[in-house]
C-alpha cells in the first residue's frame, strides 16, 4: 500500500522592525528551528539604504517541502514597529486570510498594510519585552510566530543557547522568557497557520545562503585561491571564502580594487591554482579588460557576479538580471568564454562547482551570474549530493626534448598548459596575438588559427544535461527564463498546472555559449513562449532572438527591480494568454 | 652569498626571440643585467616567473627563458601578487615602464609596497611613453614638449623612490641601464632581500627622448650609504637630483606570509557548518 503524497503546504511570515530591532535575528532563529523540525524554508531580507538602522524586515517562507522562492502572499506580519513600513509594504503583500500582529504603542497600522484587508490583532510586544529584564521585542515576535505555526520551544531554545552562549546565562534566560511570552500570546489569540507534517525521512538539512553556496561549490570544484574587493551584494561570497580557504590550505587576498582582484586571480591560476573572485556589476565592468586577457592567454578563472539593480551604483541591495549583456558581450574583440547562472539558491552550489570545472577544463574565464535574490537568501535544503565536477586542467609534463608549444592547435582546442616550475615548459602567457609557441605575432594565420582554437574549445565542449532545466506539463505553452527567475516561474507553473493549464518550463543555466540545439529541442512543439526576465530592456529576449529562431508565438514579460518578479505576476501573464 | 648549486650563464635565461626594441634602447641593457643576475642567483629558469604589463619595456618576459606573463597595461603587480601568493616557491620578477607602473598602474604600486609580498619590481624609467610614440609620463619633466601636451604637461614629476619608501617597500634602489655591473649586482640584492623590492632603472628611450643619451654622463653613484633607517633614507631623497644611483634603503619589515600550500584540507569540516 502506498501512502498518499503529503499535501504541499507553506506559511509565509514577515517580521518587520527598525534596523536595530533584530527582525533578521528573529527570522534566522525561526528558519533554523523549522529546519530542526524537519521542515524546509527560506528567508530573504528587505533592508533600506541605511548602513545601519533604518527599516528591516525578515521575509520567511516555511514549508513541508523544499521551496525556492517567496510565496504569492504573506500569512502573517508581525510588526515590532512601523518605521518606514509603508516603504516596504509592497514587498510583503498580505493574504486576505492573513493576520497582522501590531503593537498598539507603535501607533496606527499604516494604510498600505490595512489595505490588504487582513485581520489585525494587537499585542503589546514592547511591553511584554520590557517585563523581562534585558528582554527584547524580537524574541517576543519570534515566540508569536512560533506559536502560530506550531514550532517547538525546545528547538528554538537549542538555537538560542548556541547563539547566545557567549553572552552568558542571563541573556539566554531573558530570551527564553520573551519567547515564552510570545508563545503564550499566540496561544491566546488561537489562530492556526500550521505547516503540516514534517519531512522527517530526509533529515540532515543544510541552512545556507546562495553566496555561501557558490563559494562552497567553488571549493568543492577545486578552488584554492580567491582575490577580493568588497561590493554589495557579493561581499558574503568573499567573507565566507576567506576563512574557509584558510582552513584547507588556500587563501583569499583582499585587493586594492577590482582591476587588481581579477589580475590576482588570473596570476594565481597561471601558477596552477584554480582561482575565483566575486563582485557585482560595477566591479565586473572594471574587470572586463583583464577577462579578455584571460580569454586570450587561456587562463582559467571564475568570476561570480552577484547582480544588483544597475546601471552605475543603482540599487545595491536589490536584485536584477541586467548584467546579462555585459557578461556575454562586454569583452572587446572576439573572446570566447562561458556565462552560466544558478537557477535557485541551492543551485548556486551546483553551478559554482560546475563553473570551476568548465573554466579549468577549457582554460577559459567563466562568469557566473548570480544575483541578490539568490545570494542573500538563506534556505533550508536537503543535504546536497557530491558532484563529479572537478578542476581537471590539462597540464604539460615534459616527455621529450620537443620544444613546448603552449598554444598548440589541438582537435578540441585545449592545449596542455605548463605550470611554472615545470622544466622545459617555460613560455610567456600573452594577451598579444601569438603563435603556437606563445611568441607575439601579427601573422594573419596566427590570428585566424588561435581564434578558431579558442572558439572551438568553448563551442564544441559537451555541456551535457547541465545546460538547463526542463519541467512542467505539456509542450505547447512554455515559460522560457534563466537564472533566479526560474524559481518564481516554477511556482507559477505549479499553480497553473493545478488549475488545469498545461505549462512547460525551460530554464537556461548555460547562457553562453548559446546552447542552441539543446534549447530548440526543449522547445519542440511549442506554440506559445513567454520569455520572462528581470531587466528593463529585455536583454534575454534580444539575446535569444539574436541566436536562434524561436518556434511559435512569442511574448515577453520583463521589468527592472527592485521588486523581484513574483510567481503571481507570471501566473497572470499566462492566464491572460491562455484565455485569449 | 650562497654558492649556487647550478652554474648558469646569462644565456640560460635568454630566449631566442629577437626584441622589438629600437637599436640603442636602454632596455637591451636591462635585459642583460636581469639575465646575468638570474644566472648568478642560481635558480633554474623554470623556477623564475617574469611578469609585466604593456609598453616597450614590458615586452621583456618573452626575451627571457623563464616563465613569463605579458599582461594588460598597468596590472603587472596584481598579476604577480596573485602568482606569488599562490606559488610561494617561485622567484617572481615584475617588469614595468614608468607609464605602466606609475600612471595606469599607480594605485597598484602603492599597495604592492604596503603588501610587501616577496618579489622584485623593476621599472624601466625612460620618462616617456615609448610604445605609444612619445607622450609625457608621470616622470616626464613639466616642460617637455610633445604633440599631446604642447609646451609640456606643466605637471610636477612623480617621485617613485619617495613614494616607494613612504608606502612601505622593503628595498629601494635606483640604477642606470648602461651600468650593467652595478645594475646586475643591485638586482641580485633586490631578489635576495625578503619582501617587496623596488628598483628604478633609468633606461633611455633613444627614439623619443634622444636627450637621454646624455644620461650616462649625468648619473653618479649616491654620495650617501644605503640604510635600513627610513628617516635617513628620506633625508637622502630630499637632496636627490634624480640621477644618483645605488641602493637607498634595505628595510627589515617582515614580508607578507602566504598560507597557500599543496595540502588539501578537509572540505567536510567546512560543510558541517551548514548542517543543522
Ligand atoms: C588600457 C590601455 N590603455 C592604453 C594603452 C596604450 N599603451 C600601450 S603602452 C602605453 C604606455 C607605455 O609607456 P611606459 O609604460 O612608460 O613604457 P615604455 O613603452 O616607455 O617602455 C600605453 C599608453 C594600452 N595598451 N592599454
Ligand atoms: S621607443 Fe624608446 S623605449 Fe621603445 S624601444 Fe624604442 S627606444 Fe626603447
Amino acid at each position: 500500500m502506498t501512502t498518499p503524497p503529503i499535501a504541499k503546504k507553506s506559511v509565509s511570515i514577515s517580521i518587520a522592525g527598525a534596523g536595530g530591532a533584530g527582525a533578521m535575528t528573529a527570522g534566522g532563529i525561526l528558519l533554523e528551528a523549522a529546519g530542526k523540525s524537519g521542515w524546509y524554508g527560506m528567508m530573504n531580507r528587505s533592508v533600506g539604504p541605511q548602513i545601519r538602522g533604518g527599516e528591516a524586515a525578515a521575509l520567511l517562507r516555511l514549508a513541508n517541502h523544499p521551496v525556492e522562492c517567496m510565496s504569492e502572499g504573506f500569512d502573517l506580519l508581525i510588526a515590532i514597529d512601523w518605521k518606514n513600513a509603508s516603504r516596504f509594504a509592497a514587498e510583503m503583500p498580505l493574504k486576505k486570510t492573513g493576520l497582522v500582529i501590531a503593537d498598539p504603542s507603535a501607533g496606527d497600522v499604516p494604510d498600505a498594510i490595512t489595505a490588504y484587508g487582513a485581520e489585525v490583532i494587537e499585542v503589546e510586544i514592547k511591553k511584554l519585552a520590557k517585563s523581562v529584564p534585558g528582554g527584547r521585542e524580537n524574541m517576543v515576535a519570534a515566540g508569536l510566530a512560533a506559536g502560530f505555526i506550531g514550532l517547538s520551544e525546545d528547538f528554538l531554545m537549542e538555537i538560542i543557547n548556541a547563539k547566545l552562549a557567549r553572552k552568558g546565562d542571563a541573556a539566554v534566560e531573558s530570551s527564553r522568557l520573551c519567547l515564552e511570552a510570545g508563545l503564550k500570546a499566540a496561544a491566546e489569540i488561537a489562530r492556526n497557520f500550521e505547516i503540516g507534517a514534517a519531512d522527517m525521512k530526509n533529515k540532515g538539512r543544510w541552512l545556507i545562503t546562495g553566496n555561501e553556496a557558490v563559494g562552497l561549490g567553488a571549493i568543492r570544484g577545486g578552488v584554492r585561491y580567491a582575490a577580493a574587493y568588497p561590493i554589495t551584494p557579493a561581499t558574503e561570497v568573499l567573507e565566507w571564502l576567506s576563512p574557509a580557504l584558510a582552513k584547507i590550505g588556500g587563501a583569499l587576498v583582499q585587493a586594492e580594487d577590482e582591476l587588481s582582484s581579477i589580475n590576482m586571480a588570473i596570476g594565481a591560476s597561471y601558477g596552477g591554482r584554480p582561482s575565483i573572485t566575486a563582485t557585482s556589476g560595477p566591479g565586473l565592468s572594471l574587470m572586463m579588460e583583464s577577462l579578455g586577457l584571460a580569454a586570450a592567454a587561456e587562463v582559467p578563472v571564475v568570476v561570480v557576479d552577484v547582480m544588483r539593480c544597475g546601471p552605475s551604483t543603482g540599487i545595491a541591495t536589490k536584485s536584477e538580471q541586467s548584467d546579462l549583456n555585459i557578461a556575454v558581450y562586454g569583452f572587446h574583440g572576439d573572446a570566447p568564454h562561458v556565462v552560466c547562472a544558478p537557477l535557485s539558491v541551492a543551485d548556486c552550489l551546483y553551478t559554482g562547482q560546475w563553473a570551476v570545472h568548465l573554466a579549468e577544463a577549457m582554460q577559459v574565464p567563466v562568469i557566473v551570474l548570480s544575483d541578490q535574490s539568490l545570494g542573500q537568501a538563506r534556505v533550508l535544503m536537503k543535504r546536497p549530493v557530491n558532484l563529479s565536477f572537478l578542476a581537471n586542467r590539462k597540464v604539460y609534463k615534459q616527455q621529450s626534448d620537443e620544444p613546448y608549444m603552449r598554444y598548440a592547435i589541438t582537435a578540441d582546442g585545449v592545449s596542455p598548459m605548463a605550470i611554472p616550475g615545470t622544466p622545459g615548459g617555460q613560455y610567456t602567457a600573452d594577451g598579444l596575438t601569438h603563435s603556437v609557441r606563445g611568441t607575439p605575432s601579427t601573422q594573419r594565420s596566427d590570428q585566424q588559427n588561435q581564434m578558431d582554437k579558442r572558439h572551438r574549445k568553448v563551442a564544441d565542449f559537451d555541456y551535457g544535461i547541465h545546460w538547463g532545466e526542463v519541467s512542467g506539463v505539456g509542450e505547447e505553452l512554455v515559460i522560457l527564463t534563466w537564472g533566479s527567475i526560474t524559481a518564481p516561474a516554477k511556482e507559477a507553473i505549479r499553480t497553473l498546472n493545478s488549475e488545469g493549464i498545461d505549462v512547460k518550463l525551460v530554464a537556461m543555466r548555460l547562457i553562453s555559449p548559446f546552447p542552441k540545439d539543446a534549447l530548440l529541442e526543449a522547445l519542440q512543439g511549442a506554440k506559445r513562449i513567454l520569455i520572462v526576465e528581470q531587466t528593463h530592456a529585455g536583454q534575454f529576449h534580444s539575446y535569444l532572438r539574436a541566436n536562434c529562431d524561436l518556434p511559435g508565438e512569442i511574448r515577453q514579460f520583463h521589468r527592472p527591480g527592485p521588486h523581484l518578479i513574483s510567481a503571481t505576476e507570471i501566473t497572470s501573464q499566462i492566464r491572460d494568454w491562455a484565455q485569449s | 652569498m650562497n654558492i649556487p648549486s647550478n652554474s648558469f650563464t646569462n644565456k640560460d635565461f635568454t630566449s631566442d626571440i629577437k626584441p622589438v626594441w629600437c637599436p640603442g634602447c636602454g632596455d637591451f641593457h636591462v635585459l642583460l643585467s636581469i639575465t646575468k643576475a638570474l644566472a648568478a642567483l642560481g635558480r633554474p629558469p623554470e623556477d623564475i616567473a617574469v611578469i609585466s604589463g604593456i609598453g616597450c619595456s614590458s615586452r621583456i618576459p618573452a626575451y627571457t627563458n623563464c616563465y613569463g606573463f605579458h599582461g594588460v597595461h598597468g596590472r603587472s603587480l596584481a598579476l604577480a601578487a596573485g602568482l606569488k601568493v599562490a606559488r610561494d616557491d617561485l622567484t617572481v620578477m615584475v617588469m614595468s615602464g614608468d607609464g605602466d607602473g606609475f600612471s595606469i598602474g599607480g594605485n597598484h604600486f602603492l599597495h604592492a609596497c604596503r603588501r610587501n609580498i616577496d618579489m622584485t619590481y623593476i621599472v624601466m624609467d625612460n620618462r616617456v611613453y615609448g610604445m605609444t610614440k612619445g607622450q609625457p609620463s608621470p616622470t616626464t619633466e613639466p616642460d617637455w614638449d610633445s604633440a599631446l601636451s604642447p609646451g609640456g604637461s606643466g605637471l610636477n614629476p612623480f617621485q617613485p623612490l619617495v613614494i616607494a619608501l613612504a608606502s612601505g617597500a622593503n628595498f629601494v634602489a635606483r640604477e642606470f641601464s648602461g651600468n650593467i655591473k652595478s645594475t646586475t649586482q643591485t638586482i641580485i640584492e633586490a631578489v635576495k632581500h625578503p619582501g617587496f623590492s623596488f628598483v628604478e632603472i633609468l633606461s633611455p628611450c633613444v627614439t623619443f627622448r634622444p636627450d637621454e643619451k646624455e644620461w650616462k654622463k649625468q648619473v653618479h653613484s649616491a654620495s650617501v650609504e644605503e640604510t635600513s633607517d627610513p628617516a635617513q633614507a628620506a633625508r637622502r631623497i630630499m637632496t636627490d637630483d634624480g640621477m644618483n644611483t645605488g641602493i637607498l634603503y634595505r628595510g627589515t619589515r617582515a614580508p607578507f606570509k602566504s598560507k597557500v600550500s599543496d595540502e588539501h584540507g578537509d572540505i567536510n569540516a567546512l560543510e558541517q557548518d551548514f548542517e543543522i
Side-chain angles (χ1 to χ4, degrees), chain A residues 207 220 256 273 383 421-422 429, chain B residues 67 70 86 115 262 271 274:
Chain A
L207 185 58
R220 278 182 159 200
E256 53 274 29
R273 309 259 186 228
R383 175 202 296 277
T422 311
Chain B
Y67 277 90
H70 183 213
R115 208 172 272 122
D262 286 329
E271 300 194 344
F274 298 116

Side-chain angles (χ1 to χ4, degrees), chain A residues 292-344:
Chain A
L293 171 68
E298 302 194 44
V299 182
V301 67
V302 174
V303 178
V304 180
D305 172 12
V306 188
M307 296 181 285
R308 60 194 219 181
C309 293
S312 191
T313 311
I315 308 174
T317 53
K318 294 290 175 186
S319 213
E320 217 167 65
Q321 293 185 305
S322 47
D323 293 350
L324 181 117
N325 278 351
I326 183 178
V328 174
Y329 300 117
F331 295 63
H332 64 270
D334 294 316
H337 65 286
V338 175
V339 180
C340 57
L343 303 179
S344 69

Side-chain angles (χ1 to χ4, degrees), chain B residues 209-225:
Chain B
R209 295 293 308 258
D211 52 308
E212 291 174 353
K213 288 181 190 161
E214 299 301 307
W215 275 359
K216 62 173 173 287
K217 293 182 210 145
Q218 293 161 1
V219 292
H220 53 90
S221 56
S223 54
V224 187
E225 284 292 290

